[in-house]
Amino acid sequence: MGSSIYGVSSSHIALFLFFSFLSLSTAALPQNPSGKSSPSGQINSNSVLVALLDSHYTELAELVEKALLLQTLEEAVGKHNITIFAPRNEALERQLDPEFKRFLLEPGNLKSLQTLLMFHIIPKRVGSHQWPDPKTGPVKHNTLCNDHIRLTSQSTGKKTVDSAELVRPDDVIRPDGVIHGIQQLLIPRSVIEDFNRRRNLRSITAVLPEGAPEVDPRTHRLKKPAPVPVGAPPVLPIYEAMAPGPSLAPAPAPGPGGPRHHFDGESQVKDFIQTLLHYGGYNEMADILVNLTSLATEMGRLVSEGYVITVLAPNDEAMAKLTTDQLSEPGAPEQIIYYHIIPEYQTEESMYNAVRRFGKVKYDTLRLPHKVVAQEADGSVKFGHGEGSAYLFDPDIYTDGRISVQGIDGVLFPEEETQTIKKPAAVKVASKPRR
């Protein structure tokens, strides 16, 4: 029994224990002393990537998984050490614009999300002690998205990565990399441009609501209207798109919400009214558009639908000559301003060239059926007739391709109303008493 145990010799047992110990010792040795991933593609359990997925930077780790970047980062770790700048969870949860976050998580914007995340990683190990000295200035480092970030130090000891402050230096240290905690998200310029481009395209290419299809009574088939390209002038005349006047009915209720306009007319109208105020001398005109009437809103809606307008704006000196009777009648301010709006886009140069070439030019106005007459006078453009005329006084106060504002030195009235105003009062003849 001493020389063998259940038929196995003691020498065989000793040899088995030796090889078992040798295999355990070999398995205990690190297969990749540098901490880099193995050629098979599997990362070491002590890798900085595993540490990131298990760290308290859960929002960033979740974005890395959604962006399908693990394999790309494994290859990067297999080639060299990396440095990861990890934003705090609060920066991604509460401080990030919801619309921008929705843009990043859309399936069609996966490339932008990958670029954003790789902008936070540089293929080089940079510890907190390797930050540049305040005297030497910022130092550029290339990132994994072929862009660069700047590391700077201030004399107060504050360290930054681009515009983000370093709040947790050397938070996670591993053989193949290091993770630094930063205050906020780093956004490369290419991702911002992509976001703005997608947002603008979404508002421009939105489908406008269409009416019910018409049926041809002869063929009993649907009438297919000719397609209107995006940005083309509207098919509907501007007079039919205008809201009814206050004497007829209130303005129609707005249609379904959403990005359905070609242009942001509301912002453009606000811009030209602000320009009138800053230009000086046109405060009364701006006050009528905003406070006395709802014309600013209606003009913004028309421009949003693709219409263009030219506003002949009387200055304050001309507006001061209006009497109380002219403004107190219901709908009078609207009718006055309607006569000063031309449904065309005209500049001082285009109108002057027209009157020089054709003599007198009649422009349609938003006050149907009245037109305003323009002619050349004293090297400028004169509107109206006789004493009720006005000169183009301040040319091109505002021009943006959709709205043109031309300052004039008088308030215009249609020719029929001008004659009515000048007509002398009729002499009252007393009738003879009946017998």
Side-chain angles (χ1 to χ4, degrees):
M1 290 287 296
S3 60
S4 64
I5 301 177
Y6 298 102
V8 182
S9 63
S10 59
S11 60
H12 289 170
I13 294 175
L15 187 62
F16 174 77
L17 292 174
F18 173 77
F19 280 109
S20 299
F21 176 78
L22 182 62
S23 62
L24 289 174
S25 301
T26 305
L29 292 175
Q31 300 297 323
N32 194 355
S34 63
K36 299 179 181 180
S37 62
S38 60
S40 63
Q42 297 180 352
I43 60 175
N44 195 304
S45 60
N46 197 31
S47 172
V48 69
L49 297 181
V50 177
L52 174 64
L53 297 178
D54 295 338
S55 67
H56 54 270
Y57 301 106
T58 55
E59 292 290 327
L60 180 63
E62 184 178 352
L63 289 180
V64 170
E65 291 180 343
K66 289 182 178 179
L68 308 177
L69 278 179
L70 287 177
Q71 184 177 359
T72 303
L73 298 182
E74 287 174 9
E75 296 175 358
V77 170
K79 296 178 182 179
H80 32 58
N81 267 234
I82 63 173
T83 300
I84 301 176
F85 301 103
R88 302 176 302 121
N89 284 341
E90 292 79 3
L92 297 177
E93 287 178 345
R94 303 182 184 90
Q95 300 177 3
L96 195 61
D97 181 20
E99 187 178 355
F100 180 68
K101 189 173 184 179
R102 195 182 311 115
F103 160 79
L104 293 176
L105 298 180
E106 289 179 357
N109 302 325
L110 180 63
K111 186 68 176 178
S112 297
L113 178 60
Q114 292 176 342
T115 302
L116 175 76
L117 295 175
M118 289 192 293
F119 188 67
H120 291 73
I121 304 173
I122 58 178
K124 181 181 180 181
R125 187 186 187 94
V126 179
S128 60
H129 62 283
Q130 296 176 299
W131 242 254
D133 189 80
K135 299 179 181 179
T136 59
V139 175
K140 292 183 180 180
H141 288 281
N142 292 327
T143 64
L144 290 183
C145 67
N146 296 326
D147 206 337
H148 64 271
I149 56 178
R150 297 172 180 267
L151 305 184
T152 57
S153 298
Q154 300 180 5
S155 57
T156 57
K158 179 180 177 181
K159 299 178 180 179
T160 58
V161 182
D162 277 356
S163 59
E165 182 182 357
L166 189 69
V167 291
R168 298 176 70 100
D170 301 328
D171 195 12
V172 178
I173 299 177
R174 292 294 185 270
D176 58 353
V178 59
I179 300 178
H180 301 293
I182 57 177
Q183 184 74 18
Q184 62 188 27
L185 187 71
L186 303 176
I187 305 177
R189 183 182 297 274
S190 60
V191 175
I192 296 178
E193 293 175 352
D194 194 15
F195 169 64
N196 292 331
R197 190 181 310 114
R198 296 291 180 89
R199 182 169 55 179
N200 293 336
L201 286 176
R202 190 183 303 117
S203 62
I204 292 175
T205 59
V207 180
L208 290 173
E210 299 179 355
E214 298 181 7
V215 178
D216 192 339
R218 295 174 299 175
T219 62
H220 299 285
R221 294 182 179 179
L222 295 179
K223 292 182 179 179
K224 295 182 179 180
V228 180
V230 174
V235 179
L236 187 69
I238 190 172
Y239 308 104
E240 297 184 22
M242 289 170 53
S247 60
L248 301 177
R260 59 187 178 89
H261 298 316
H262 295 314
F263 310 97
D264 187 4
E266 290 79 5
S267 297
Q268 290 176 274
V269 170
K270 289 180 181 178
D271 287 343
F272 102 72
I273 291 177
Q274 288 291 332
T275 304
L276 281 179
L277 295 175
H278 293 322
Y279 193 88
Y282 294 89
N283 296 334
E284 296 296 330
M285 179 71 175
D287 184 61
I288 289 180
L289 291 175
V290 177
N291 298 324
L292 196 58
T293 66
S294 60
L295 291 181
T297 303
E298 184 173 350
M299 291 165 63
R301 183 179 60 82
L302 292 174
V303 175
S304 295
E305 296 295 347
Y307 298 96
V308 294
I309 57 176
T310 298
V311 181
L312 304 178
N315 56 19
D316 290 344
E317 185 177 352
M319 297 293 286
K321 297 178 182 178
L322 290 175
T323 63
T324 306
D325 295 337
Q326 292 174 320
L327 293 173
S328 60
E329 296 182 7
E334 286 87 351
Q335 296 303 320
I336 292 175
I337 301 301
Y338 279 149
Y339 189 65
H340 290 75
I341 300 179
I342 301 173
E344 302 176 22
Y345 184 78
Q346 297 285 347
T347 62
E348 184 267 343
E349 181 180 3
S350 64
M351 288 190 291
Y352 184 72
N353 290 338
V355 296
R356 282 290 302 272
R357 181 176 181 182
F358 302 108
K360 287 186 178 182
V361 179
K362 291 184 177 181
Y363 291 106
D364 291 329
T365 67
L366 292 189
R367 185 174 177 178
L368 283 175
H370 303 290
K371 301 177 182 289
V372 61
V373 178
Q375 56 185 327
E376 192 268 339
D378 302 329
S380 181
V381 181
K382 185 177 74 170
F383 302 95
H385 306 271
E387 297 180 2
S389 60
Y391 283 86
L392 183 55
F393 191 69
D394 290 317
D396 298 337
I397 296 178
Y398 180 88
T399 52
D400 65 356
R402 312 298 306 178
I403 301 175
S404 171
V405 181
Q406 308 293 329
I408 59 178
D409 62 352
V411 179
L412 301 173
F413 290 95
E415 187 174 5
E416 294 82 357
E417 293 186 7
T418 305
Q419 294 175 355
T420 303
I421 294 173
K422 294 180 180 179
K423 187 176 180 180
V427 179
K428 187 176 181 180
V429 180
S431 61
K432 297 182 179 179
R434 294 181 180 180
R435 291 183 179 179

